[in-house]
Amino acid sequence: MGIKWLEYTPVERMSTKEDSDVEYLYVEVKAPRMAGLTLKCFTWMMESTIGTFFLKPKLKRDNLITKTFVQSRYDEPPMFQPHFSLPEPEDGVLTLDSSLSVPGRVARSLDCLGSLHERKAGDGAYVFRHWTIRDYTHAYKSGRLMPTQVAERFLSAVDESIKGQPGMSIFIAYNPRDILRQAEESTSRYKQGKPLSVLDGVPIAVKDELDCLPYDTTGGTKWMSKVRDVKEDAACVSKLRACGAMLVGKTNMHELGQGTTGINPHYGATRNPYNKAKASGGSSGGSAAAVACGLCPAALGVDGGGSVRMPAALCGIVGLKGTFGRISSHGVLPLNWTVGSVGVLAATVEDTLIMYAAVQGHLSSDRIVSIPPQVTLPQLNRIENEAIGGLKLAKYTEWFDDSDPDVKDRCYAALSKLQKRYGCKTVEVTIPELEEMRLAHFVTIGCECYSSIGIQYENVGVTATGADIRVGFALYKSFTNTEYLSAQRMRYRQMYYHMEIFKNADVIVTPTTAATAPSISLDALECGELNYVYGAKLMRYQIAGNFIGLPAISVPVGFDQAGMPIGIQLIGKPWSEATLLRLAYVIEGLCAAESRRPEVLFDLLL
């Protein structure tokens, strides 16, 4: 009996409208949760002959990888990386002159902001508010505090976070001598009245997936620094250094970025500042926790599968990933060439804008097809009702509603406030083949990761790697040329669907995650855990931002009944970061009354 092929309808005949006959597929991931001894045994089997000839083929069959990418036919060609058309002109934006220095661009970004503490976009009163980048600058310029004092307070706070029971496990590495040296240089500039920018002396954390001297880049492993030297800062880190930012260390991450919880068996499970029994999210969980608990107002992350937006949502902060190619990937650990992007995590949209202005920009050596147009920034000090009310928000209701009740309720409440205040219109749409996109992203990121570091992993890293990551790598190495090429054909299809939606809408709106932060189980601390079912809930709305390279932002909108943060996600047209930042700023203001103080909070300015 021959193979029964699945014929995919050509994209031109598929509909993305509300009345489409496409049925929403509720995901049923077929993989049990594993940790401890069970996970160790399963890892051994996956890496053995049993895994090669029985387990891996069964997992791929049960989870529809074989059916979707081997036993299916596509008319479309493969799209090996995202590429886009030039954007339409936007109103109410400031265009950054590409000839400006990085400090010059940051200075121009301040022209988009109102006076310190002023809010014009929302009617809510903040119950709690983190210190912002401009709060630090104001303290320095007034002489009330100097960067050296903030550096000392930072070091004391990190020490306190480590000694807690349990410790927060936010940083993999930080160098007190280097931090104090930066602080002294910044203090000298302030005393001379010559700070480099608004970021001068402001503590900024860097995910340990980005090169930042004087540190190794471990990617959350114990072996990566043995096979890869750090010779210079990553491009985005270099830009922050040019602005005088105080780079305070390398934050913890899910090992090699291959997980959604931030539980790292080598450097500890990063705890959520809103509840230390909960996870911070992955893989940029250390950066998210550092911002949420007040150790810094902003941090850098890398987003290959929601790895900036997800932990931002789970920790109650803002997370932005730009359009693919908007921020240079030079100096980023090469784990996912065509789906990963440097991102910003910050306590507020204002600080997200400042950081974005600093780190954006590509290099001629970047391997991208679509050259980014000039950067535009939203004029947040000139929010006009008509500009917000004229936006059309695309919503795929069945997908939006496929989330936990508290998540769905808070996201709908935020939309209701937005529509009531500004009159935004919601456009009902259908996005075909969402589950196929999730699987295509999984195949793509797995192939890229193993192709990039597979040799070093096999030679040096296997025995020094957590069991959950070893299972992933065992599966990655089983992916075939056919599976990879078919996944890239699915990328073409998804790009077509999303561009069709954007013909009639400006933004796609979803919850950021379908659930709030999971609990940290004791049996996961030693060697990690496999929980693909919960992981799929956390990643449900993340994939388009990575697989087809669209810009996306997560902004807090409230809390569940247990007091854990919830975020709403805005997915934009290519190069529409300004629109996303403007809309996120408005939502932030409307939901200000929902803000809450974290359980773990360090105050570096009082």
Side-chain angles (χ1 to χ4, degrees):
M1 184 176 178
I3 295 174
K4 185 177 180 181
W5 293 90
L6 174 64
E7 298 276 354
Y8 276 87
T9 303
V11 290
E12 294 83 0
R13 288 161 45 194
M14 298 289 288
S15 173
T16 58
K17 296 181 179 179
E18 180 183 10
D19 60 359
S20 170
D21 59 4
V22 171
E23 293 186 9
Y24 178 70
L25 179 62
Y26 290 90
V27 178
E28 184 181 357
V29 178
K30 295 184 178 179
R33 179 194 178 273
M34 296 183 194
L37 181 60
T38 303
L39 177 56
K40 290 180 180 179
C41 292
F42 185 70
T43 302
W44 176 83
M45 288 190 289
M46 283 289 286
E47 294 175 340
S48 70
T49 304
I50 297 172
T52 301
F53 293 103
F54 174 70
L55 282 178
K56 288 184 245 183
K58 177 175 172 53
L59 283 171
K60 291 199 283 187
R61 285 195 306 271
D62 289 350
N63 290 282
L64 303 180
I65 291 175
T66 302
K67 179 181 178 181
T68 305
F69 303 121
V70 179
Q71 299 172 353
S72 298
R73 297 183 190 274
Y74 303 88
D75 283 352
E76 294 74 28
M79 177 181 284
F80 291 105
Q81 69 167 253
H83 49 86
F84 317 103
S85 302
L86 291 175
E88 298 174 357
E90 293 179 275
D91 295 326
V93 298
L94 183 153
T95 301
L96 285 184
D97 186 341
S98 58
S99 67
L100 287 173
S101 65
V102 179
R105 296 174 197 173
V106 170
R108 287 288 283 150
S109 74
L110 299 181
D111 294 338
C112 296
L113 307 178
S115 60
L116 192 61
H117 304 321
E118 180 183 2
R119 287 295 310 224
K120 293 183 178 179
D123 54 2
Y126 281 88
V127 176
F128 167 79
R129 188 182 70 86
H130 285 88
W131 294 121
T132 67
I133 289 170
R134 291 198 293 169
D135 287 324
Y136 279 85
T137 307
H138 178 71
Y140 298 156
K141 286 186 174 180
S142 69
R144 184 172 66 83
L145 282 175
M146 281 289 125
T148 48
Q149 294 167 284
V150 167
E152 290 166 356
R153 292 180 181 186
F154 168 83
L155 293 170
S156 176
V158 172
D159 187 55
E160 184 179 341
S161 77
I162 294 170
K163 293 179 179 178
Q165 294 298 326
M168 293 292 289
S169 300
I170 292 175
F171 284 91
I172 285 178
Y174 66 101
N175 185 319
R177 181 177 296 179
D178 182 68
I179 293 168
L180 290 171
R181 176 191 59 78
Q182 294 179 73
E184 288 168 358
E185 292 174 357
S186 180
T187 296
S188 177
R189 291 191 290 268
Y190 275 103
K191 288 182 176 179
Q192 295 174 42
K194 298 179 179 179
L196 296 176
S197 77
V198 71
L199 285 164
D200 205 335
V202 178
I204 303 293
V206 178
K207 183 183 182 182
D208 200 17
E209 195 175 333
L210 293 148
D211 290 345
C212 177
L213 295 172
Y215 306 98
D216 293 327
T217 298
T218 74
T221 72
K222 284 291 188 179
W223 58 270
M224 184 61 70
S225 60
K226 298 177 183 178
V227 299
R228 182 179 180 276
D229 294 329
V230 176
K231 298 178 181 178
E232 61 180 355
D233 289 333
C236 55
V237 173
S238 176
K239 291 173 181 178
L240 291 176
R241 202 183 292 277
C243 292
M246 182 163 53
L247 304 171
V248 293
K250 306 296 287 293
T251 54
N252 202 355
M253 59 180 286
H254 205 110
E255 190 172 9
L256 292 174
Q258 304 297 309
T260 59
T261 62
I263 297 173
N264 187 308
H266 314 300
Y267 303 104
T270 302
R271 305 281 170 167
N272 195 305
Y274 280 91
N275 183 339
K276 292 174 70 174
K278 300 284 188 175
S280 63
S283 62
S284 306
S287 288
V291 173
C293 77
L295 288 174
C296 52
L300 292 179
V302 182
D303 193 315
S307 291
V308 163
R309 294 159 287 150
M310 182 195 309
L314 299 186
C315 291
I317 61 171
V318 181
L320 170 72
K321 76 158 291 290
T323 308
F324 180 77
R326 174 60 88 185
I327 302 173
S328 176
S329 61
H330 178 76
V332 179
L333 200 61
L335 301 177
N336 37 60
W337 300 306
T338 72
V339 298
S341 298
V342 174
V344 172
L345 302 100
T348 64
V349 175
E350 172 188 306
D351 285 352
T352 305
L353 183 148
I354 293 171
M355 287 285 288
Y356 171 65
V359 302
Q360 58 76 30
H362 71 286
L363 301 178
S364 59
S365 58
D366 289 342
R367 298 176 180 177
I368 53 178
V369 174
S370 299
I371 302 303
Q374 279 189 295
V375 169
T376 58
L377 300 177
Q379 293 179 300
L380 301 183
N381 52 359
R382 299 178 186 175
I383 297 288
E384 296 181 2
N385 288 7
E386 295 78 11
I388 300 298
L391 294 175
K392 293 181 180 179
L393 311 181
K395 179 168 68 68
Y396 184 10
T397 296
E398 286 181 282
W399 187 38
F400 192 104
D401 291 353
D402 191 12
S403 53
D404 288 353
D406 286 352
V407 173
K408 181 174 65 175
D409 290 348
R410 296 321 307 160
C411 289
Y412 269 117
L415 285 182
S416 177
K417 292 176 183 177
L418 189 63
Q419 291 167 335
K420 182 177 179 180
R421 176 68 182 271
Y422 293 98
C424 295
K425 296 179 177 62
T426 299
V427 179
E428 293 291 340
V429 299
T430 300
I431 308 178
E433 299 159 14
L434 285 169
E435 175 61 2
E436 287 92 334
M437 178 168 65
R438 184 183 72 85
L439 295 173
H441 170 267
F442 181 66
V443 170
T444 301
I445 198 171
C447 288
E448 292 182 357
C449 185
Y450 194 79
S451 296
S452 176
I453 63 171
I455 293 175
Q456 297 95 320
Y457 169 78
E458 298 290 353
N459 290 340
V460 179
V462 177
T463 58
T465 299
D468 58 333
I469 310 305
R470 290 173 64 173
V471 169
F473 268 77
L475 190 58
Y476 297 163
K477 66 192 293 187
S478 75
F479 290 143
T480 65
N481 293 343
T482 298
E483 289 163 342
Y484 176 76
L485 287 170
S486 294
Q488 308 321 300
R489 288 178 161 182
M490 183 55 64
R491 187 177 344 222
Y492 182 102
R493 293 174 70 87
Q494 285 299 324
M495 184 68 80
Y496 180 89
Y497 297 144
H498 283 76
M499 293 306 105
E500 284 295 297
I501 289 170
F502 285 132
K503 288 179 180 178
N504 299 300
D506 301 289
V507 171
I508 298 171
V509 61
T510 74
T512 308
T513 59
T516 53
S519 297
I520 297 174
S521 301
L522 292 177
D523 62 354
L525 299 179
E526 180 186 354
C527 58
E529 71 173 345
L530 285 181
N531 192 343
Y532 287 127
V533 175
Y534 207 95
K537 292 182 73 172
L538 294 178
M539 290 186 65
R540 181 158 298 152
Y541 307 105
Q542 310 287 315
I543 303 303
N546 301 107
F547 193 50
I548 55 176
L550 299 176
I553 191 169
S554 175
V555 61
V557 292
F559 296 80
D560 68 7
Q561 294 184 42
M564 298 309 297
I566 293 168
I568 197 168
Q569 178 181 225
L570 310 172
I571 305 170
K573 299 176 182 180
W575 318 118
S576 68
E577 289 86 354
T579 295
L580 296 185
L581 286 163
R582 180 189 292 114
L583 188 55
Y585 182 77
V586 167
I587 293 173
E588 178 184 60
L590 292 172
C591 297
E594 304 290 335
S595 57
R596 299 183 188 178
R597 181 187 179 93
E599 176 185 285
V600 178
L601 182 67
F602 301 101
D603 193 325
L604 304 189
L605 290 188
L606 276 185

